[in-house]
Amino acid sequence: MKAVGYYQNQTIDQADSLVDLELPIPVATGRDLLVRVEAVSVNPVDTKVRRNAAPVEGAARILGWDAVGTVVAIGPEATLFKAGDAVFYAGALERPGTNAEFHLVDERLVGPKPASLTAAEATALPLTSITAWEMLFDRMGVARLPAGAGNDGTAGVLLIVGGAGGVGSIATQLARQLTGLTVIATASRPETRDWSLAMGAHHVIDHRQPLEPQVRAIAPGGATHVMSLTATEQHFPAIAALMAPQGKLALIDDPAQPLDITLLKRKSISLHWEFMYTRSMFQTPDMIAQHELLREVSRLVDAGVLRTTMTQDLGGISAANLRRAHAVVESGTARGKLVLSGF
């Protein structure tokens, strides 16, 4: 089968930072599905692993976690899907990635692909949807609105730092459509501001300017919830200052320096880490929650409640196109999600 991987850690401008490969087709065992991959997307985790995780000596490491495809075989213990099913998922960090024609994934991490989306449109969603959903509902414990209820913004104030990125784009939609929170997103360019508003943000502020006065101008009592998705070490003092007492702060990035969490003490602010691979990495008893989560996301997409966050399809899944995608993600200027489709 065709695949794309790397043999050594390289900067993305090097021609061998990602290379085209031919590998054997894997075999489904246990609860695994063997999926014929039709589309993938690129996330910051892809670039971090490529830069920092050395492959086994003499072997290539295959990146990629988001995927859409068709089940072609199932392991003897799999019961949730059958051959021919269209699926989407984000996989597991410690297993070979989705940048391959065929891929093995535990069925408990897989959801049915939204029928209303193309493969390219759907592959933008799994990893970021899982991350945003777990942040909002599992980590911070935000309540979902009853079916049919509208968001009147009275359940609190959510600040999303980095609102136009992949996670921020779907987090904005989830919070606006499924909760009663007033959603404030940050963006620093006209095109990212417009994107955040299109995703459903009630307000957009500029993260290149002091955050606290901008938030206080909208919500004098401060933000009850904050999702810090990027540059947390840069914004942390301001976040602590702008948050309401007994607020909840969730973050996903890797701060470049230690955070002074004592800034949260006086207000009794709780701090929540979100790492969407925790369930798969530790085989937690509730690992199937990601299957259930993706099934619900798929239903909401087909009902017109959520929309794809894809902004560009860069073409076929190849080393050259993946190098282009990695370069954009590393530039920090990505808006929504970049995807690739077909081999």
Side-chain angles (χ1 to χ4, degrees):
M1 67 175 182
K2 295 178 181 178
V4 177
Y6 68 99
Y7 287 97
Q8 57 183 331
N9 305 120
Q10 298 269 21
T11 56
I12 201 59
D13 58 343
Q14 299 299 307
D16 58 351
S17 57
L18 292 170
V19 295
D20 293 305
L21 305 166
E22 284 286 340
L23 299 173
I25 297 175
V27 176
T29 60
R31 297 193 70 172
D32 277 350
L33 310 176
L34 179 64
V35 177
R36 184 190 299 274
V37 175
E38 298 167 16
V40 301
S41 73
V42 177
N43 295 281
V45 64
D46 297 64
T47 67
K48 292 175 184 177
V49 173
R50 192 205 78 246
R51 293 194 306 266
N52 301 311
V56 174
E57 183 70 27
R61 178 156 186 173
I62 311 301
L63 298 173
W65 285 277
D66 276 327
V68 167
T70 302
V71 177
V72 295
I74 65 173
E77 299 171 25
T79 61
L80 299 176
F81 297 94
K82 63 183 185 303
D85 286 345
V87 295
F88 73 155
Y89 59 90
L93 185 63
E94 69 276 12
R95 300 187 70 175
T98 59
N99 294 338
E101 281 188 281
F102 295 91
H103 182 251
L104 289 178
V105 61
D106 190 301
E107 65 173 355
R108 290 169 289 182
L109 306 176
V110 177
K113 171 191 166 291
S116 58
L117 298 183
T118 66
E121 291 168 337
T123 201
L125 292 172
L127 185 148
T128 54
S129 293
I130 294 169
T131 300
W133 188 289
E134 290 183 350
M135 289 182 84
L136 273 175
F137 302 119
D138 295 349
R139 309 299 171 230
M140 294 195 291
V142 175
R144 285 188 63 176
L145 289 171
N151 183 343
D152 60 8
T154 60
V157 177
L158 169 66
L159 174 67
I160 302 176
V161 181
V167 175
S169 297
I170 192 65
T172 299
Q173 293 186 59
L174 291 173
R176 179 64 184 262
Q177 297 294 336
L178 303 184
T179 81
L181 296 169
T182 294
V183 182
I184 305 173
T186 79
S188 61
R189 293 174 285 138
E191 59 269 30
T192 52
R193 176 185 175 84
D194 291 345
W195 175 261
S196 291
L197 290 171
M199 291 296 102
H202 291 92
H203 309 276
V204 180
I205 64 175
D206 187 349
H207 50 241
R208 293 183 179 175
Q209 303 300 321
L211 290 177
E212 184 180 10
Q214 295 181 86
V215 170
R216 298 280 181 189
I218 298 166
T224 57
H225 300 76
V226 174
M227 298 174 71
S228 183
L229 308 179
T230 184
T232 296
E233 71 280 2
Q234 174 185 339
H235 299 298
F236 193 74
I239 289 172
L242 64 82
M243 288 191 70
Q246 303 183 88
K248 296 183 178 183
L249 166 62
L251 55 152
I252 62 170
D253 60 343
D254 301 303
Q257 59 194 44
L259 303 177
D260 181 7
I261 62 171
T262 63
L263 297 177
L264 309 179
K265 180 179 179 179
R266 286 179 45 188
K267 293 180 180 178
S268 296
I269 294 169
S270 58
L271 177 64
H272 305 262
W273 280 104
E274 162 57 20
F275 184 56
M276 66 141 285
Y277 298 113
T278 296
R279 284 175 161 136
S280 58
M281 185 175 289
F282 294 97
Q283 297 284 298
T284 60
D286 66 346
M287 191 166 124
I288 199 169
Q290 292 193 348
H291 161 72
E292 295 163 349
L293 184 166
L294 288 174
R295 180 177 291 278
E296 177 66 359
V297 168
S298 184
R299 184 190 71 80
L300 290 166
V301 169
D302 287 340
V305 176
L306 302 177
R307 54 177 280 193
T308 182
T309 57
M310 181 190 83
T311 51
Q312 188 176 3
D313 184 342
L314 294 179
I317 303 167
S318 67
N321 285 341
L322 281 164
R323 286 196 297 269
R324 290 171 57 206
H326 278 230
V328 174
V329 171
E330 289 183 343
S331 74
T333 61
R335 176 174 56 89
K337 292 296 293 292
L338 300 175
V339 309
L340 300 91
S341 54
F343 278 90

